[in-house]
Amino acid sequence: MNLDTLTQTSGEWLRGTGPESDIVISSRIRLARNVAAFPFTNRASAYQKAEIESLLRDRVARLELDPRLEYINVPNLSPLDRQFLVERQLISRELAAADGPRGVALGPRETVSLMINEEDHLRLQVMRSGFALDEAWQDIDRVDDLLEARLSYAFSEEFGYLTACPTNVGTGMRASVMLHLPALVWAKQIEKVFRALQKINLAVRGLYGEGSRASGDFYQISNQVTLGKSETQILNEIREVIPQIITYERQARNAMLKESRQAIQDRVSRAYGTLCSATMMTSEETMDLLSSVRLGVNMGLLDDVTIGTVNELFIHTQPAHLQKLMGSLLDGEERNAARARYLRTRLREAGAHPN
């Protein structure tokens, strides 16, 4: 797979074409699986990791999927390309930084990603744009069944699927929905939402999962419990709460329009103006300003740019993407200058050629 071609798109998680995509960015389901008769990755020797990687690469290659997956040997990638795949949410930071034989099999539409020799021997991931948990589950369940027909998974009748981390034992499933919640943040209601989610054992994380901050007002909401519940129960719990959060966010947006339209208009316009004129721009500042612009477009306060362009800019201005687009490695200050130039150019083109 030529990773350079991926710089021309925004990736599945920011396509903005799925249900409720003004608020729900993407739905993702991940399954953790291990091969029986092999120690977990953190206990495996280099030789055993090589055996696991070879076995799983062979089984993945035989999967009868259309379109077929392409395999990437992660140790052969440059640090920039590894970070590029992390930014696209196609591999985890753990897989990028791990040692030894490992890889990832990707679908050309970037909806399917199978990571080999991460924390577990195999991490299956399916992503869909918008609020589409059911479709994501159907996809990943099919891939899992195809693999299980070719592999002996580590499984216990008492505990379910066995995983390196005890918190994943059972279904081995993490279902998550990524939401853009700027109005709840501005209205200072977001902490109340978090507390309610914690009471029902749902976790809230940032843009890149565990340990990451909520950059650009993006939040991932996912299950914490995998043991003692079926996949259907886990999905139902998340499926029930997400519409309530969508309603709260829409109510907050409507209240803002009614009570402080001029202040919101000013904030959106200032964000857009800064993006169009700044000569230096950090990743964090870009994400925060684009978040305001995205909200403004969805609220009808800004018509100079489309949601598609804004979504694309979220990922194209990330450090690895930016350097690949520029065609060279850049230090921090050079990236900030290049990011500002790129934003000015893209937004000028978007304003000159509105859809």
Side-chain angles (χ1 to χ4, degrees):
M1 176 179 284
N2 182 357
L3 297 185
D4 290 340
T5 62
L6 298 184
T7 60
Q8 306 307 310
T9 64
S10 58
E12 176 63 20
W13 67 284
L14 276 175
R15 291 193 199 285
T17 55
E20 314 285 6
S21 57
D22 58 326
I23 294 172
V24 182
I25 303 299
S26 64
S27 302
R28 177 175 66 178
I29 296 180
R30 188 216 70 199
L31 298 177
R33 299 289 186 257
N34 289 281
V35 183
F38 282 97
F40 293 133
T41 305
N42 60 351
R43 298 277 184 166
S45 66
Y47 177 78
Q48 288 169 324
K49 287 182 183 178
E51 282 189 297
I52 294 164
E53 192 270 343
S54 177
L55 171 68
L56 291 176
R57 176 161 36 91
D58 174 73
R59 298 301 186 269
V60 168
R62 297 185 191 185
L63 289 178
E64 297 164 1
L65 296 176
D66 184 24
R68 297 187 70 82
L69 305 182
E70 293 190 55
Y71 190 76
I72 297 174
N73 192 318
V74 172
N76 289 348
L77 295 178
S78 67
L80 182 67
D81 281 340
R82 292 180 205 174
Q83 181 60 30
F84 177 81
L85 291 176
V86 171
E87 290 174 0
R88 294 187 85 81
Q89 307 243 347
L90 294 173
I91 68 172
S92 64
R93 291 175 297 179
E94 291 75 15
L95 188 74
D99 295 319
R102 62 200 191 282
V104 60
L106 303 174
R109 292 177 54 241
E110 302 180 56
T111 55
V112 180
S113 169
L114 307 182
M115 291 180 279
I116 294 174
N117 275 345
E118 197 230 30
E119 182 179 69
D120 293 287
H121 298 160
L122 185 61
R123 287 283 177 97
L124 296 76
Q125 173 182 283
V126 164
M127 295 183 71
R128 286 296 193 107
S129 176
F131 189 31
L133 275 176
D134 290 339
E135 291 84 350
W137 169 244
Q138 290 168 9
D139 287 351
I140 203 166
D141 190 38
R142 177 169 172 260
V143 175
D144 189 39
D145 286 347
L146 289 171
L147 280 166
E148 197 158 15
R150 293 165 171 80
L151 289 165
S152 238
Y153 282 152
F155 185 84
S156 159
E157 290 295 334
E158 181 180 1
F159 297 110
Y161 292 101
L162 303 178
T163 56
C165 181
T167 59
N168 291 324
V169 169
T171 60
M173 183 169 88
R174 282 279 186 273
S176 65
V177 177
M178 187 188 297
L179 302 103
H180 183 225
L181 304 174
L184 287 172
V185 173
W186 290 4
K188 295 182 170 54
Q189 296 294 310
I190 199 72
E191 291 298 329
K192 186 187 298 183
V193 174
F194 292 169
R195 287 194 295 271
L197 290 170
Q198 287 166 359
K199 287 179 182 177
I200 56 174
N201 289 318
L202 293 181
V204 181
R205 297 187 172 96
L207 184 61
Y208 289 104
E210 192 168 358
S212 64
R213 66 180 290 271
S215 181
D217 302 319
F218 287 120
Y219 297 91
Q220 283 190 53
I221 295 171
S222 63
N223 64 296
Q224 293 192 98
V225 178
T226 62
L227 183 63
K229 293 184 179 182
S230 68
E231 291 89 347
T232 301
Q233 287 175 308
I234 292 169
L235 290 172
N236 283 341
E237 288 175 359
I238 298 175
R239 196 187 293 113
E240 287 172 10
V241 77
I242 296 301
Q244 297 177 47
I245 299 174
I246 293 173
T247 298
Y248 295 151
E249 173 68 16
R250 292 210 171 112
Q251 289 173 346
R253 294 182 185 191
N254 290 334
M256 287 162 59
L257 277 176
K258 186 179 294 186
E259 299 165 12
S260 51
R261 183 185 182 96
Q262 191 168 351
I264 298 305
Q265 179 75 70
D266 180 68
R267 187 163 181 170
V268 169
S269 298
R270 285 175 183 271
Y272 183 70
T274 302
L275 290 167
C276 287
S277 60
T279 58
M280 297 284 283
M281 190 74 67
T282 66
S283 291
E284 288 188 5
E285 186 180 11
T286 300
M287 291 290 284
D288 291 338
L289 293 172
L290 285 173
S291 174
S292 297
V293 168
R294 190 180 195 278
L295 177 65
V297 175
N298 279 325
M299 292 175 72
L301 300 175
L302 186 66
D303 56 12
D304 293 357
V305 62
T306 66
I307 283 296
T309 297
V310 176
N311 283 352
E312 200 169 86
L313 289 174
F314 271 113
I315 193 163
H316 283 188
T317 54
Q318 294 296 308
H321 277 75
L322 187 68
Q323 290 174 91
K324 288 184 76 67
L325 284 165
M326 297 298 111
S328 62
L329 296 176
L330 305 171
D331 64 27
E333 190 167 306
E334 290 170 335
R335 283 201 305 273
N336 292 344
R339 184 178 293 109
R341 285 196 306 273
Y342 181 73
L343 285 162
R344 293 198 307 271
T345 300
R346 286 296 306 276
L347 292 173
R348 184 167 60 245
E349 290 172 350
H353 305 287
N355 289 341

